[in-house]
Amino acid sequence: MILGLSRWWSLIGYLIASVITLPLVAILIQAALPAESVFGHLLNTVLPTYISNTLLLMFWVCLGAILIATPAAWLVAKCHFPGRGIFQWALLLPLAMPAYVVAYVYTDLLDYAGPIQKSLRSFFGWLTPQDYYFPEVRSLGGAAMMLALVLFPYIYLLARTAFMEQSSSLQHASRIMGCGPWLSFWRLSLPMARPALAVGVSLVAMETAADFATVSYFAVPTLTTAVYDTWLGYGSLSAAAKLSAIMLLVVFSMIGFERFARRKQQLFQKQTGEIKSVLYSLKGVKAFLATSYCTFLLVTAFLLPFIILLNYAWHYFDESWHAEFWEFSFNSLYISVIVSIIAALIGIVLMFICRVSPRKADLLPSRLSATGYALPGTVLAIGILVPLTYLDFAVNDLYEYMGQLGPGLIFTGSVFVLIFAFTIRFSAIAIGSVENSYKRISPSLDMVTITMGLSPAALLWRVHLPLLRKGIFAGMLLVFIECMKELPAALLLRPVGFENLATYVFQFVSDEQLEHGALAAIVIVLVGLVPLIFLNRSLEQHG
């Protein structure tokens, strides 16, 4: 804490927070404007379907993800069985796989014309679809299954950590009371891990609500697709803003649920003592079942889609290896690098102010800036278009007033709009990463430095930054990967003629020709593996 900290630092913090929260304010203002006929038409016809599909999809994805992830997390955290060391990090790999790619691969396998149904018809002698029943892949249930396969690592990661942190004394007590592994899991580990599971479920629910590509590919109308269609199909910004406001209500309900669960988790952590626990040693059939379950999960959620992608890329390499592939890769690369640098700077400045400022009001900018990540890509795009469009018109009007030709759409018609959108969406990741690093630096170090006469800027540059470099690098890495994968905002905001890897791959998925975009999809997956490896190593070091 620096008692004489200049007000300029506070001003910088509030300026950053104002820019990041600008889309949220714009959506609320736009949604409050008088209703148009388009929204009234949607309200009377398809809006109830959009809302019910969104809620049903969130429910089924969360249910599927928690049923998949919880047993795997407990097995890896509490039991010793063949392959445990590999599954501990390998079950995070599905996070690197775009959900729409998984959806395409499994639709190709499970559709009526796919190899599985063909084999069944050939084996049993069935001739028409009426001769047998097979679940429809292109449905709400199919979309829920695909999203659960990709998103379950959120719950797995948090649950695994919670199980590993449970005190060994409690485990010993359960053994003395005659509880085996199953009873110990059901009566002890699971109830104590409920806050962490709740946080994981809320993250999965928010990601599901924000998903656009998978539900669009399966033609399942949700609020996300409604915002997209209303803006591009009807051209109604006001109606799209009203739909965005409904989505925000859903998302912030999830955030409130997550905050409530985190509060309970803090109380739980104070009651625990030791961290390390003794593993149950599984043998025979139990060990075989544990290994088989984790193997099945890993193969289904990651290895099979990735191997099929490799096969596509191998057979269509000549068609995929062209100048456009390099151009789109470069577009993704330089935008992601720029955004990760800006996001890191925002995180450093805001968290430095939080740490050293004596004023409680200076805590607010970092909290406000973290709300950007809660905005789904389509909602964020609408929120950004509103102020930037006004800004473009204002600049051109000013040029016209001065008797000169205006520069055109310099904000909404250039890559600036993408960089701006990605920065707002992913700055919260960098802020969180820097915040975690700051927690490991003793405040006494600041006091010693200040008594030596260093200015706040010198304290940040000469003391904090060298100690924060790992956290800053981790945050930049995570922001970089999220930018490479972000699709909805890129689809809505990309300038004319501009493509990146995510939009390029999604075009082929929409045209049922992923084979031609498989090489680009592999690049996205491989780049996504880097932060997962980094994250797992970080967890192991702190474990």
Side-chain angles (χ1 to χ4, degrees):
M1 181 182 296
I2 303 175
L3 295 177
L5 186 70
S6 169
R7 291 279 181 183
W8 281 104
W9 286 98
S10 303
L11 184 62
I12 293 172
Y14 276 96
L15 183 63
I16 293 173
S18 301
V19 173
I20 291 180
T21 54
L22 185 62
L24 178 62
V25 175
I27 289 172
L28 296 178
I29 293 175
Q30 191 72 29
L33 295 177
E36 295 179 352
S37 58
V38 173
F39 184 75
H41 172 70
L42 293 174
L43 184 62
N44 295 324
T45 53
V46 293
L47 187 56
T49 304
Y50 289 148
I51 296 175
S52 63
N53 279 348
T54 302
L55 296 178
L56 279 173
L57 188 68
M58 291 167 64
F59 173 77
W60 286 119
V61 173
C62 290
L63 182 63
I66 199 168
L67 290 177
I68 290 172
T70 307
W74 187 80
L75 285 171
V76 167
K78 289 292 186 182
C79 302
H80 181 75
F81 57 94
R84 171 182 174 271
I86 297 175
F87 295 126
Q88 191 168 358
W89 60 267
L91 289 177
L92 294 174
L93 296 181
L95 273 181
M97 188 69 73
Y100 54 92
V101 172
V102 177
Y104 180 94
V105 168
Y106 277 106
T107 302
D108 208 32
L109 288 175
L110 300 174
D111 231 355
Y112 180 76
I116 292 180
Q117 290 204 51
K118 275 184 178 177
S119 301
L120 289 174
R121 288 196 297 271
S122 175
F123 184 79
F124 290 104
W126 296 327
L127 299 176
T128 66
Q130 287 72 33
D131 294 336
Y132 64 102
Y133 169 76
F134 198 87
E136 179 58 51
V137 182
R138 294 175 185 270
S139 62
L140 190 145
M145 181 57 71
M146 299 303 122
L147 288 169
L149 280 177
V150 174
L151 298 177
F152 84 84
Y154 284 112
I155 299 176
Y156 164 79
L157 182 62
L158 293 169
R160 189 191 80 178
T161 305
F163 288 141
M164 291 175 70
E165 290 178 349
Q166 289 176 0
S167 171
S168 60
S169 59
L170 295 173
Q171 196 170 336
H172 289 311
S174 71
R175 285 183 171 179
I176 293 173
M177 295 175 68
C179 293
W182 167 248
L183 283 179
S184 176
F185 165 73
W186 187 252
R187 292 184 177 178
L188 181 67
S189 297
L190 187 60
M192 294 177 69
R194 275 187 306 189
L197 293 174
V199 174
V201 168
S202 66
L203 287 174
V204 170
M206 284 192 288
E207 290 292 332
T208 304
D211 178 78
F212 167 77
T214 309
V215 293
S216 175
Y217 179 67
F218 281 167
V220 176
T222 63
L223 284 172
T224 310
T225 59
V227 173
Y228 185 86
D229 295 339
T230 304
W231 169 239
L232 292 186
Y234 293 99
S236 174
L237 189 59
S238 176
K242 292 181 189 304
L243 292 172
S244 301
I246 296 174
M247 273 202 71
L248 286 178
L249 180 63
V250 174
V251 170
F252 281 111
S253 298
M254 292 296 105
I255 293 175
F257 178 67
E258 186 266 346
R259 292 285 183 268
F260 178 76
R262 192 185 293 274
R263 178 180 63 85
K264 292 179 70 178
Q265 188 181 30
Q266 289 174 347
L267 291 175
F268 153 70
Q269 294 295 345
K270 290 178 182 176
Q271 294 169 359
T272 61
E274 302 173 36
I275 294 177
K276 294 182 179 179
S277 62
V278 179
L279 300 180
Y280 293 106
S281 181
L282 301 182
K283 297 179 181 177
V285 176
K286 292 180 179 177
F288 173 76
L289 290 176
T291 304
S292 300
Y293 176 71
C294 292
T295 303
F296 174 77
L297 201 53
L298 179 61
V299 169
T300 308
F302 181 77
L303 289 180
L304 181 60
F306 190 66
I307 290 171
I308 291 176
L309 276 181
L310 288 175
N311 183 51
Y312 288 157
W314 175 261
H315 287 92
Y316 290 85
F317 183 80
D318 292 337
E319 292 89 339
S320 306
W321 190 262
H322 45 64
E324 287 186 335
F325 168 75
W326 287 104
E327 178 190 345
F328 302 154
S329 300
F330 177 73
N331 289 342
S332 291
L333 182 66
Y334 84 83
I335 286 181
S336 301
V337 169
I338 292 173
V339 173
S340 60
I341 293 172
I342 297 174
L345 292 174
I346 290 173
I348 293 168
V349 171
L350 290 182
M351 294 319 303
F352 175 74
I353 295 171
C354 274
R355 181 178 173 94
V356 302
S357 175
R359 297 177 284 273
K360 290 185 178 179
D362 286 346
L363 299 176
L364 189 59
S366 63
R367 302 292 178 263
L368 290 174
S369 301
T371 59
Y373 191 65
L375 299 177
T378 50
V379 175
L380 176 64
I382 299 299
I384 283 178
L385 278 174
V386 173
L388 289 191
T389 302
Y390 281 116
L391 197 56
D392 269 333
F393 278 108
V395 170
N396 283 278
D397 289 344
L398 179 62
Y399 269 79
E400 187 177 350
Y401 176 77
M402 297 170 65
Q404 299 181 17
L405 185 63
L409 304 177
I410 56 174
F411 296 111
T412 58
S414 66
V415 293
F416 172 84
V417 68
L418 285 179
I419 293 173
F420 187 57
F422 290 178
T423 301
I424 290 175
R425 176 130 167 76
F426 301 123
S427 286
I429 298 174
I431 293 171
S433 183
V434 175
E435 183 180 15
N436 286 332
S437 295
Y438 256 128
K439 289 177 180 176
R440 301 189 186 100
I441 303 177
S442 172
S444 59
L445 190 61
D446 298 1
M447 298 175 189
V448 172
T449 308
I450 295 301
T451 55
M452 293 174 66
L454 263 66
S455 66
L459 170 66
L460 173 63
W461 180 255
R462 296 172 61 179
V463 178
H464 286 177
L465 285 183
L467 297 173
L468 292 172
R469 62 182 186 279
K470 287 186 178 179
I472 295 170
F473 176 71
M476 290 177 66
L477 199 57
L478 291 171
V479 172
F480 177 86
I481 302 307
E482 291 293 335
C483 291
M484 293 284 288
K485 292 166 57 179
E486 173 62 25
L487 178 65
L491 276 177
L492 277 169
L493 297 175
R494 58 183 166 167
V496 176
F498 181 91
E499 299 285 351
N500 62 11
L501 286 179
T503 58
Y504 177 65
V505 173
F506 182 68
Q507 282 182 356
F508 286 112
V509 170
S510 301
D511 296 338
E512 304 281 354
Q513 294 179 338
L514 179 61
E515 298 85 351
H516 297 281
L519 190 61
I522 287 174
V523 172
I524 295 175
V525 174
L526 291 180
V527 172
L529 294 181
V530 177
L532 292 178
I533 295 171
F534 184 85
L535 177 63
N536 185 70
R537 288 187 59 186
S538 176
L539 288 174
E540 287 180 348
Q541 288 172 358
H542 289 95

